């Protein structure tokens, strides 16, 4: 049985959020199935799998969203966080071939690429003036070991000290350990010394080895994902964690996934943000995938907020779900929409149409339109600055004759 967490203020949270939470939850007359869940949430007791199933199966989606929103507002009010970042995917060459992945290429493919350190730096320099984070994940290159990334991260840190490096998924860390014949913990320590700031958390998919055997055979096991993040936190590297849903998993497997992440965070407190995103099917090899509908995306965001009482931030990842659903996600428990991004391949090759040309002002307007207050954050959620977008021309109605 997990302990009831003490209300320790975490990154960006109101200090008295537990008091606010009890008050928020008392204000509403929740329906009978949700009342016992609201009572648990009011004392920040962790929800169990049965509670999660009630939330997933509750017929009134809006009530589940309202419950998640009550928790989100107690912790953060109407603040919604974003950052200024760019995604650089350093190589698409990968020794694995996960069936949900539209990004990877074999080394001989015509459009296979692997950026040298020089090419990466050249690319980064185009964006460096406008960002404070570079997010880099990629394929498992058959020839790159830890030394390659030590060189790269040193160059980034030396030439752009204002940029935080959020890079590499757990399976990339495992691959580097195998290539360089060292432990994953040593990989993490060496990369931390070279300038790595945090891990983005991708690659969790569903932490169930039966599901993984079908959708990403050969990737790290569920336990390895957890262990590598445990080691990252021990090495002083905070991380995000993710969930890819809408492939072949059951609701129970989604919930167990969240419970596994919550358990690790009770131990390490190193997870900053949870990012649930649906499978996008273009150019993938998973015809049996269920695919998630828009309402299922919103419900999963809401359930994530309610299940993960010790992971402060829940992201509505607009690179995957698009701007419109991300805006709605901010009403369903999410408090973050990721960043300006500007350049991204992995989600777009799988079918995302999320715009890549948003500057801070556009993102802030999107957040304002969702009824929230834009707050720019740094990579590790330790620095926050309210951001007011420049005024836009008032929208005018068109004369009837032109409609
Ligand atoms: S998801 Fe990652 S590990 Fe799997 S094939 Fe794609 S690039 Fe390779």
């Amino acid at each position: 049985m997990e302990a009831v967490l003490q209300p320790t203020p975490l990154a960006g949270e109101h200090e008295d959020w537990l008091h606010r939470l009890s008050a928020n939850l008392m204000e509403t007359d929740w329906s009978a199935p949700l009342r016992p869940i609201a009572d648990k949430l009011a004392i920040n007791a962790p929800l169990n799998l049965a509670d999660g199933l009630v939330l997933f199966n509750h017929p009134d989606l809006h009530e589940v969203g309202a419950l998640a929103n009550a928790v989100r507002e107690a912790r953060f009010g109407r603040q919604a966080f974003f950052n200024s970042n760019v995604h650089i995917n350093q190589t698409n060459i990968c020794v694995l071939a996960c069936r949900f992945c539209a990004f990877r290429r074999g080394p001989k493919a015509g459009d296979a690429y692997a950026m040298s350190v020089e090419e990466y730096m050249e690319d980064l320099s185009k964006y460096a003036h406008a960002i404070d984070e570079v997010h880099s994940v990629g394929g498992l290159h058959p020839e790159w070991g830890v030394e390659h990334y030590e060189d790269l991260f040193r160059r980034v840190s030396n030439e752009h000290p204002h940029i935080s490096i959020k890079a590499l998924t757990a399976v990339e860390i495992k691959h580097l350990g195998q290539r360089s014949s060292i432990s994953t913990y040593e990989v993490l320590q060496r990369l931390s010394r070279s300038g790595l700031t945090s891990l983005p958390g991708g690659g969790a998919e569903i932490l169930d080895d039966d599901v993984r055997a079908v959708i990403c055979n050969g990737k790290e096991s569920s336990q390895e994902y957890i262990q590598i993040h445990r080691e990252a936190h021990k090495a002083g590297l905070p991380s995000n964690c993710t969930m890819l849903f809408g492939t072949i998993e059951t609701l129970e497997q989604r919930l167990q996934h969240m419970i596994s992440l919550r358990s690790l965070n009770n131990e390490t407190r190193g997870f900053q943000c949870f990012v649930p995103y649906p499978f996008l099917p273009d150019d993938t090899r998973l015809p049996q995938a269920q695919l998630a509908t828009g309402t299922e995306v919103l419900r999963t965001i809401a359930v994530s907020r309610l299940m993960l009482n010790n992971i402060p931030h829940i992201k509505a990842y607009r690179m995957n779900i698009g701007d419109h659903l991300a805006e709605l996600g901010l009403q369903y428990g999410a408090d973050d929409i990721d960043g300006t991004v500007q350049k991204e391949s992995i989600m777009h090759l799988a079918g995302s149409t999320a715009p890549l040309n948003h500057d801070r002002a556009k993102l802030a307007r999107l957040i304002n339109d969702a009824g929230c207050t834009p707050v720019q954050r740094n990579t590790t959620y330790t620095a926050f600055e309210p951001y007011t977008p420049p005024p836009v021309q008032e929208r005018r109605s068109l004369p009837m004759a032109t409609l």
Side-chain angles (χ1 to χ4, degrees):
M1 170 94 179
E2 289 174 72
V4 174
L5 287 168
Q6 291 309 304
T8 315
L10 292 163
E13 283 178 338
H14 290 303
E15 285 192 11
D16 61 342
W17 72 266
L18 190 56
H19 177 73
R20 286 169 184 247
L21 179 60
S22 305
N24 284 2
L25 293 172
M26 291 303 185
E27 271 172 18
T28 306
D29 188 15
W30 304 104
S31 65
L34 297 196
R35 182 74 257 169
I37 293 177
D39 289 344
K40 278 190 179 180
L41 293 168
I43 56 165
N44 200 27
L47 303 186
N48 59 28
L49 196 138
D51 298 323
L53 286 174
V54 169
L55 294 167
F56 267 124
N57 292 314
H58 191 59
D60 185 348
L61 168 66
H62 299 302
E63 193 183 16
V64 176
L67 195 54
N69 201 42
V71 177
R72 174 243 201 274
E73 292 213 359
R75 295 181 94 137
F76 302 110
R78 294 306 301 155
Q79 298 176 99
F81 303 99
F82 72 98
N83 72 340
S84 294
N85 63 349
V86 66
H87 286 210
I88 299 181
N89 303 119
Q90 62 275 20
T91 179
N92 63 357
I93 297 173
C94 187
V95 298
L96 292 183
C98 301
R99 290 174 65 191
F100 62 78
C101 179
F103 172 70
R104 67 83 60 188
R105 296 290 183 272
K108 293 189 180 144
D111 54 353
Y113 72 86
M115 299 168 95
S116 65
V117 170
E118 214 50 59
E119 288 166 333
Y120 184 104
M121 295 305 297
E122 207 173 296
D123 204 17
L124 179 60
S125 68
K126 294 178 210 152
Y127 306 95
H129 65 284
I131 61 167
D132 59 19
E133 172 195 286
V134 60
H135 169 127
S136 282
V137 297
L140 310 180
H141 193 286
E143 287 161 19
W144 289 353
V146 70
E147 300 78 10
H148 174 85
Y149 285 96
E150 285 179 311
D151 289 348
L152 178 63
F153 295 162
R154 269 195 218 107
R155 282 285 300 274
V156 174
S157 312
N158 289 339
E159 293 177 30
H160 305 289
H162 69 288
I163 295 179
S164 296
I165 305 167
K166 182 177 77 172
L168 303 176
T169 61
V171 74
E172 289 175 276
I173 299 294
K174 178 182 172 186
H175 178 70
L176 295 180
Q178 288 170 338
R179 287 286 313 146
S180 299
S181 303
I182 56 175
S183 70
T184 47
Y185 186 53
E186 193 176 335
V187 172
L188 290 159
Q189 286 181 306
R190 283 173 61 168
L191 295 181
S192 173
R193 286 196 293 268
S194 307
L196 180 65
T197 313
S198 63
L199 265 54
E205 325 312 358
I206 289 289
L207 295 172
D208 181 291
D209 291 333
D210 291 338
V211 174
R212 299 175 85 75
V214 176
I215 69 171
C216 54
N217 193 26
K219 225 171 182 178
E220 84 280 28
S221 69
S222 308
Q223 271 318 305
E224 285 173 326
Y225 180 92
I226 292 288
Q227 179 59 15
I228 288 167
H229 280 265
R230 179 184 283 116
E231 290 173 353
H233 301 166
K234 188 173 160 201
L237 294 164
S239 66
N240 293 342
C241 48
T242 59
M243 178 174 77
L244 175 76
F245 61 95
T247 62
I248 60 164
E249 81 288 351
T250 62
L251 294 179
E252 286 85 349
Q253 286 165 328
R254 277 186 212 172
L255 290 163
Q256 195 50 56
H257 175 103
M258 295 179 200
I259 291 169
S260 300
L261 296 170
R262 189 176 70 192
S263 297
L264 176 62
N265 218 35
N266 270 346
E267 185 188 319
T268 63
R269 298 301 174 119
F271 284 136
Q272 319 169 109
C273 182
F274 179 65
V275 193
Y277 48 81
F279 167 62
L280 301 175
D282 288 7
D283 287 325
T284 60
R285 298 178 298 122
L286 209 50
Q288 67 274 50
Q290 312 152 46
L291 303 182
T293 60
T295 54
E296 198 178 350
V297 171
L298 293 176
R299 188 185 288 268
T300 305
I301 288 172
V303 174
S304 306
R305 166 61 74 196
L306 297 169
M307 292 295 295
L308 296 171
N309 65 336
N310 64 357
I311 298 182
H313 299 281
I314 304 292
K315 189 177 288 188
Y317 188 36
R318 67 178 195 90
M319 273 306 107
N320 175 289
I321 63 177
D323 285 358
H324 297 157
L325 263 186
E327 275 190 54
L328 284 171
L330 293 176
Q331 312 287 343
Y332 279 75
D335 63 285
D336 193 295
I337 56 165
D338 202 58
T340 46
V341 181
Q342 302 170 74
K343 179 178 153 78
E344 195 280 337
S345 304
I346 294 176
M347 299 294 174
H348 284 78
L349 283 168
S352 169
T353 54
L356 287 166
N357 60 349
H358 281 356
D359 56 14
R360 293 193 306 164
K362 279 190 189 150
L363 269 190
R365 282 189 203 115
L366 185 154
I367 290 170
N368 273 334
D369 280 356
C372 297
T373 309
V375 177
Q376 182 157 1
R377 61 165 173 83
N378 64 352
T379 299
T380 50
Y381 296 86
T382 50
F384 304 94
E385 193 180 340
Y387 177 78
T388 308
V392 277
Q393 270 195 325
E394 208 176 312
R395 291 174 191 147
R396 294 210 186 97
S397 307
L398 289 174
M400 286 303 284
T402 64
L403 290 178

